[in-house]
Amino acid sequence: MSDFHALQTERIVGARPGPHLLIFGGVHGDEFEPMVAIRRLARSVRGADLRGALTLVPVVNEPAFLRGHRLAEDGLDLARTFPGRADGSITEQIAHAATRIIVTADLLIDLHTGGTTMSLWPLAGYSLHPDAGVLEKQRRMARAFNLPFVWGTSPHHEGRSLSVARDANIPAIYTEFHGAATCDPAGVDAYVSGCLNVMAEFEMIDRREFASATKLVVEDPRSGSGHLQINNPAPCRGYFEPAVCLGQSVRTGDLLGTISDPLGKEVTPIPSRQDGVVVLLRTFPRVLEGDCLAVIVEVEQNLAGT
């Protein structure tokens, strides 16, 4: 059993009362923009200007980060392991420690990217919480974060930071911004700005209003909505070349990309299974059968402007 110690956190306490906001980064060890953005927030937010408290965890999954990998050495996905176990494997212990912090918060933001193999259209997501008050706060958080896509999905996913928050009636959102094994400065800037916008929305800081960057808002209550890894699985192994880009509208049957054999002689086309907008693309070319290649979000339930 691994010997895991407490998460490394930065806590800033405001001079005046207000909510306690918790911000997570590095739940996966290969997601870098959140780590840099949270460190920048730690340097820029001053207690004298803050109402409430801010707890920052730049690298939740430190063992995975030190491995240079998405997962720690036990091979468990931390984003599927909450609430964890104090006496479990390294990832279970981290989930347990993170859960103990989540339940102390009034608001949670969990920052993600596509890691080393995926890239995502920038989005802020939340569960369609059964409590109307919690749901409305989550909508406010997601809109305030000010990314192109706002996505409300099934509240029934388990094992996640947001499922812990859901059960504790703590308003929570997660975000995604590109990935592809990079640390995009634009992503860092967007994450810093988004976190500050949420703080301003809940009167934790004073901040000027912003022009909305949101292009699409979708709420999809169907079971499985928001579970990215189960979409458009590769029918075979090989070299994947996408034929679309993030944010692009596609129709059923449109070519998403191709998978070819090592010589490029056998080429398998990958058609879209639905109409919608491309929100995730695989960017790591080598694929195995069953790997997720793309996610298309249907837009019939578009609530933009409501």
Side-chain angles (χ1 to χ4, degrees):
M1 182 184 300
S2 301
D3 181 21
F4 176 72
H5 301 285
L7 303 182
Q8 297 192 57
T9 66
E10 180 82 21
R11 184 173 172 85
I12 304 169
V13 178
R16 289 165 287 176
H20 173 203
L21 171 62
L22 171 62
I23 305 177
F24 276 170
V27 165
H28 296 121
D30 62 348
E31 299 179 357
F32 307 118
E33 288 91 340
M35 303 176 191
V36 178
I38 293 174
R39 292 203 304 268
R40 188 184 296 177
L41 286 167
R43 296 193 300 268
S44 61
V45 175
R46 302 190 316 140
D49 302 323
L50 180 66
R51 304 177 193 95
L54 179 64
T55 298
L56 303 170
V57 190
V59 187
V60 175
N61 198 342
E62 190 172 346
F65 170 69
L66 294 176
R67 290 183 73 219
H69 199 279
R70 187 170 183 81
L71 312 177
E73 57 265 27
D74 60 4
L76 296 179
D77 185 342
L78 178 55
R80 303 293 181 268
T81 308
F82 286 88
R85 293 169 40 204
D87 62 347
S89 69
I90 183 64
T91 302
E92 291 171 321
Q93 291 181 52
I94 295 170
H96 176 76
T99 294
R100 293 180 63 184
I101 300 176
I102 292 171
V103 297
T104 70
D106 299 311
L107 304 166
L108 169 66
I109 301 174
D110 191 351
L111 305 175
H112 288 265
T113 79
T116 56
T117 61
M118 304 287 189
S119 187
L120 287 107
W121 198 36
L123 69 90
Y126 53 92
S127 70
L128 294 170
H129 200 287
D131 184 291
V134 173
L135 178 57
E136 183 54 32
K137 288 182 178 179
Q138 292 181 158
R139 287 172 172 154
R140 289 170 56 196
M141 293 170 72
R143 292 289 189 108
F145 209 95
N146 203 31
L147 295 175
F149 180 34
V150 172
W151 197 15
T153 58
S154 169
H156 302 302
H157 298 301
E158 300 297 337
R160 310 179 183 206
S161 63
L162 265 64
S163 60
V164 172
R166 175 203 64 204
D167 294 344
N169 286 326
I170 297 167
I173 64 171
Y174 71 97
T175 64
E176 302 279 1
F177 197 108
H178 294 176
T182 67
C183 186
D184 184 351
V188 175
D189 290 344
Y191 272 2
V192 171
S193 181
C195 290
L196 294 174
N197 287 342
V198 172
M199 294 170 68
E201 174 70 20
F202 288 85
E203 301 182 342
M204 297 179 67
I205 59 171
D206 297 321
R207 181 171 167 83
R208 281 187 283 183
E209 293 187 10
F210 53 88
S212 175
T214 300
K215 299 178 180 179
L216 179 67
V217 180
V218 172
E219 291 194 335
D220 183 352
R222 293 174 296 178
S223 177
S225 64
H227 190 172
L228 299 175
Q229 289 81 2
I230 63 174
N231 290 266
N232 293 292
C236 57
R237 66 184 183 183
Y239 189 101
F240 177 63
E241 295 181 79
V244 292
C245 60
L246 295 173
Q248 179 177 333
S249 295
V250 297
R251 299 191 65 83
T252 301
D254 285 354
L255 184 68
L256 298 179
T258 58
I259 299 175
S260 58
D261 69 352
L263 293 177
K265 293 183 177 180
E266 295 184 14
V267 179
T268 302
I270 308 298
S272 177
R273 299 180 175 184
Q274 64 223 105
D275 299 350
V277 175
V278 180
V279 299
L280 177 149
L281 277 174
R282 185 176 181 89
T283 54
F284 191 75
R286 189 274 290 151
V287 297
L288 302 177
E289 184 176 351
D291 284 346
C292 173
L293 301 177
V295 172
I296 312 300
V297 169
E298 297 172 83
V299 298
E300 287 84 357
Q301 300 179 68
N302 184 2
L303 302 180
T306 65

